[in-house]
Amino acid sequence: MKNLELKSGALALAILLAAGACNREQPAPDPDPAAAPQAAVEDGAPTLDDPGAEQHRNLVRAGAGLYVAPEFCGIQYDDAERARMREQQKQATVERGQMSAAQFDAAFDAGIEEARQAFANASPDELSQSCDAIRAMHAARPQG
């Protein structure tokens, strides 16, 4: 149940932040596939060309958003709890072969910066909606 709540919260955060980002002017991506960055194959982990790779990176970025949220939403998470959450997501991602540890770290660190920018640039309504969803998830988690 706890994992379902975390995944639901991560999804809600990702949707809210993505919706906010989509409403802002963004440069169009380069349609030339040859110009797209290529990831090196590392430890048998998927490359950027794998169909599910972008989905996995988005899930990692959503986790990074939850990692950053307390800074903007006034939720009390200590550094050890945040580090534990990151490590659990990393371990699960690597164990499932979705990406290597190095790929996870790169995606998560990039996601932290993206999330900080998204929170900082969010309208008051967007920030309120995101923080309300995260607070509800935080309140619903089992205490132990």
Side-chain angles (χ1 to χ4, degrees):
M1 183 71 173
K2 180 179 175 184
N3 286 338
L4 179 60
E5 290 169 356
L6 182 60
K7 288 178 186 175
S8 296
L11 180 60
L13 174 65
I15 291 169
L16 289 170
L17 292 176
C22 288
N23 290 332
R24 292 182 177 79
E25 290 276 331
Q26 297 290 326
D30 188 345
D32 180 10
Q38 302 297 312
V41 176
E42 181 180 324
D43 300 330
T47 65
L48 290 175
D49 294 333
D50 286 345
E54 185 65 24
Q55 180 181 10
H56 298 306
R57 280 192 300 279
N58 288 339
L59 289 172
V60 171
R61 287 199 282 279
L66 290 173
Y67 183 89
V68 169
E71 298 171 19
F72 293 88
C73 298
I75 300 170
Q76 296 300 313
Y77 277 103
D78 63 24
D79 290 340
E81 185 175 8
R82 291 171 64 190
R84 180 187 52 77
M85 289 169 51
R86 176 183 176 145
E87 194 56 36
Q88 285 177 341
Q89 183 181 6
K90 179 179 179 177
Q91 182 179 6
T93 301
V94 171
E95 284 177 359
R96 290 184 182 117
Q98 295 166 338
M99 61 180 62
S100 71
Q103 288 170 324
F104 177 91
D105 287 335
F108 197 93
D109 291 342
I112 286 174
E113 293 309 312
E114 291 169 7
R116 283 189 177 129
Q117 288 179 354
F119 275 112
N121 294 327
S123 72
D125 287 342
E126 291 169 333
L127 188 60
S128 177
Q129 287 176 342
S130 294
C131 290
D132 287 348
I134 294 165
R135 280 189 200 99
M137 182 186 67
H138 181 72
R141 73 186 175 125
Q143 302 297 316

